[in-house]
Amino acid sequence: MKRTLTTHDLPALMTGIMATLAAIGIARFAYTPLLPAIIQHGWFSASQGAYLGAANLLGYFVGALVAHALSERFAPRWVMAASFASIGLSFVLCAGAGGFLWFFFWRLMSGVAGGILMVVGPSLALAATPPERRTRIGALVFTGIGAGALLSAFVVPLLLGVSLSLTWGALGLLCIAAGLLCDWGIAHLASPITASPRGNSPIRGAGVKIIVMLVVGAYALDAIGFVPHTVFWVDYLARENALGNQAASLQWGIFGLGALCGPFMIGALAHRVGWQGGLMIAFAAKAAAVLLPVFSLALLSQSVSSFMVGAMIPGIVALTSGRLAELVGPAAHKKLWGQATAAFAAAQAVAGYAMSALYGTWGSYAPLFAISGLILVAGFLLVLLSRGLQQRHTDPSAQQPTKHYRSQ
């Protein structure tokens, strides 16, 4: 497998990276460092601010659910352009203090657009990438998630020092710029490459369906597991633990750095232990990192938690995507990936609202990290169970074991 990137990879990379940058990096993660500011400026109460964060999660579910159908009915280029425009407008039109319903609607719309971009963007990029290069390109397209988090960690605090309204408006313009770069990438994509419809798994029939269900179930639990870090982490450190915005922003920067490094770490991990083994390690690492703040909020503990959760967010996305392609084949992957993303988004939305309600009742974020860590342990057990089922049902007549297909 070629490892060196070439100019031929640029359109696919630009398409995927800009899509994930806007979908998660800006539409969702940029809101996390904004949350303490809108509360401190009196725009909304802490409880309202948490619900606005959850509105984006609900919209993400809707977007993931309709993304495949929209991209089949309309030109994907126009679907994605409309999505970038929606996210940009959601920030620009919230650049001044307004009513809760106004903000809720636009946070919801940014989530819908983000869900569409997250399904359609990477799929377009990978469909135009030769099979032998999909592992490398497939990991790199998710660096947009980390780039957005890292960018928001450094840009948002600087802009907040000038004006809260300016910060919202600048993020909107940044999303529009990402949309223009993505559109250039789409316009220069190669024609989709036809791939074999068969997966690499030596299991067929009902066996593979059960394993797919377990992997998708674990992915849904992962969505619940990272809600506290992606929605409440900055506010938890800045206000609840009185560490201040500067210290909390530093941790968000470390989180973004982890998210940027995650796809590279996961690429190396999958190369050594395969998609299945990589998933098990990633779930175990993420569970430990989410639980860490429950036991210690020392600077080192904060930093390890921020970095590892950040790294495993795009990491588990890439590993799950690769594992599903390994099981069902690239031809069936797009539709299944859309379904998995919808399951992820549904669990995330329910968790977002439930945790917002729990925070309103308890007045503390700390228990939410304990709950999420235990949920991730359950996800690890599902992945472990899927491995056991595969070992029991492996077809001995298969030509090669699953782990030999890591480059797909």
Side-chain angles (χ1 to χ4, degrees):
M1 180 181 70
K2 288 183 180 180
R3 292 188 175 275
T4 304
L5 295 176
T6 69
T7 54
H8 297 294
D9 297 318
L10 191 57
L13 287 172
M14 198 63 69
T15 299
I17 291 173
M18 291 301 113
T20 58
L21 169 68
I24 305 294
I26 297 177
R28 183 180 313 158
F29 287 172
Y31 179 76
T32 302
L34 281 173
L35 180 56
I38 64 173
I39 295 170
Q40 290 165 0
H41 281 72
W43 285 18
F44 299 105
S45 67
S47 178
Q48 287 176 320
Y51 276 109
L52 289 177
N56 181 269
L57 306 184
L58 175 62
Y60 188 79
F61 166 66
V62 175
L65 208 58
V66 303
H68 179 72
L70 284 176
S71 66
E72 293 293 318
R73 178 160 185 164
F74 303 103
R77 184 177 182 180
W78 292 109
V79 171
M80 292 185 69
S83 299
F84 276 105
S86 296
I87 297 174
L89 284 174
S90 75
F91 281 98
V92 172
L93 295 179
C94 291
F100 177 78
L101 290 179
W102 175 262
F103 271 72
F104 185 92
F105 173 78
W106 284 110
R107 292 302 298 155
L108 181 73
M109 290 304 298
S110 72
V112 172
I116 293 171
L117 289 178
M118 196 64 180
V119 172
V120 180
S123 296
L124 280 180
L126 293 181
T129 302
E132 69 273 11
R133 300 183 60 73
R134 283 185 182 140
T135 297
R136 187 160 181 80
I137 300 301
L140 289 178
V141 297
F142 293 107
T143 58
I145 298 174
L150 194 60
L151 193 63
S152 68
F154 290 102
V155 173
V156 170
L158 290 175
L159 292 175
L160 284 174
V162 180
S163 165
L164 178 57
S165 295
L166 174 66
T167 306
W168 282 86
L171 289 170
L173 294 177
L174 180 62
C175 186
I176 297 298
L180 293 174
L181 290 173
C182 182
D183 188 69
W184 175 89
I186 295 173
H188 291 83
L189 280 177
S191 299
I193 295 170
T194 303
S196 168
R198 294 188 64 185
N200 301 319
S201 173
I203 307 170
R204 296 288 175 252
V208 75
K209 290 181 181 179
I210 294 173
I211 293 173
V212 164
M213 289 176 62
L214 289 172
V215 172
V216 172
Y219 191 48
L221 293 181
D222 175 58
I224 301 172
F226 77 57
V227 166
H229 269 75
T230 57
V231 180
F232 309 126
W233 184 229
V234 172
D235 198 40
Y236 175 62
L237 296 175
R239 289 194 315 111
E240 185 166 323
N241 289 281
L243 298 177
N245 288 339
Q246 187 173 0
S249 295
L250 171 63
Q251 290 305 315
W252 190 244
I254 295 173
F255 174 95
L257 180 62
L260 192 60
C261 295
F264 299 98
M265 295 165 59
I266 289 305
L269 182 64
H271 180 70
R272 287 181 175 273
V273 301
W275 298 115
Q276 170 70 24
L279 261 181
M280 292 176 60
I281 293 172
F283 266 95
K286 193 170 183 180
V290 170
L291 285 169
L292 190 55
V294 176
F295 301 99
S296 172
L297 274 176
L299 179 60
L300 179 61
S301 299
Q302 294 176 44
S303 301
V304 170
S305 181
S306 295
F307 184 86
M308 287 306 299
V309 174
M312 291 303 105
I313 285 176
I316 289 181
V317 173
L319 286 167
T320 302
S321 176
R323 177 61 173 149
L324 292 176
E326 182 178 58
L327 288 167
V328 304
H333 174 261
K334 181 185 175 184
K335 185 175 182 180
L336 182 58
W337 179 236
Q339 293 170 349
T341 304
F344 180 97
Q348 186 177 236
V350 171
Y353 279 95
M355 289 187 183
S356 296
L358 289 174
Y359 172 72
T361 301
W362 294 335
S364 172
Y365 293 122
L368 305 183
F369 289 90
I371 292 171
S372 295
L374 295 176
I375 291 290
L376 287 167
V377 171
F380 167 81
L381 294 176
L382 287 185
V383 177
L384 185 64
L385 179 59
S386 75
R387 181 189 183 188
L389 286 175
Q390 177 159 355
Q391 290 174 340
R392 287 180 55 191
H393 294 90
T394 296
D395 181 1
S397 65
Q399 293 182 353
Q400 297 185 43
T402 302
K403 65 179 182 179
H404 289 174
Y405 286 85
R406 295 169 194 155
S407 64
Q408 282 290 341

